[in-house]
Amino acid sequence: KTVILDHQLHKQFKNNFFQKIDLHGHTVDEAYKKMHSYLNINFKKKNLLHIVITGLGNKSQGEEFFTGKIRRQFPFWLDTEKFQFMIKSYSPCKIQHGGLGAFYIKLKSKE
């Protein structure tokens, strides 16, 4: 099952409890492992709403914005079975939650 891109997901973060994980300063490999471990723990605890802060990367490379390695890899991680097992939907964050340097994630409730 693919992870759904849900542009209405931000509404669930308005009045509900959510947690954050910040992947700044990690290598792509470290960030992947840290995020997988974090989501695995929260999936088991049934904590459904999360914000994943990837950062935007170094924006000084000419005209190209959003060059962050972690941010670029993030959607590909969601295409893997490891993450599809736990994640129901995701969406880029609104400005008050980190803007384009962060993502909303909703985990599946365990069947």
Side-chain angles (χ1 to χ4, degrees), residues 15-56:
N15 297 315
N16 291 307
F17 174 76
F18 63 86
Q19 292 172 280
K20 288 183 184 180
I21 179 172
D22 190 344
L23 302 176
H24 276 111
H26 292 283
T27 65
V28 172
D29 195 42
E30 288 168 350
Y32 178 90
K33 289 174 184 165
K34 183 176 178 181
M35 186 169 120
H36 183 263
S37 172
Y38 169 84
L39 292 179
N40 205 21
I41 290 164
N42 283 285
F43 178 69
K44 289 175 182 165
K45 289 182 179 178
K46 298 182 175 142
N47 296 331
L48 300 182
L49 298 176
H50 302 273
I51 290 177
V52 177
I53 301 166
T54 62
L56 292 173

Side-chain angles (χ1 to χ4, degrees), residues 7 12 15 19-20 24-25 35 37 69 75 80 86 103 109:
H7 291 292
Q12 295 183 38
N15 297 315
Q19 292 172 280
K20 288 183 184 180
H24 276 111
M35 186 169 120
S37 172
K69 291 180 181 128
T80 65
M86 297 181 282
F103 292 89
S109 23

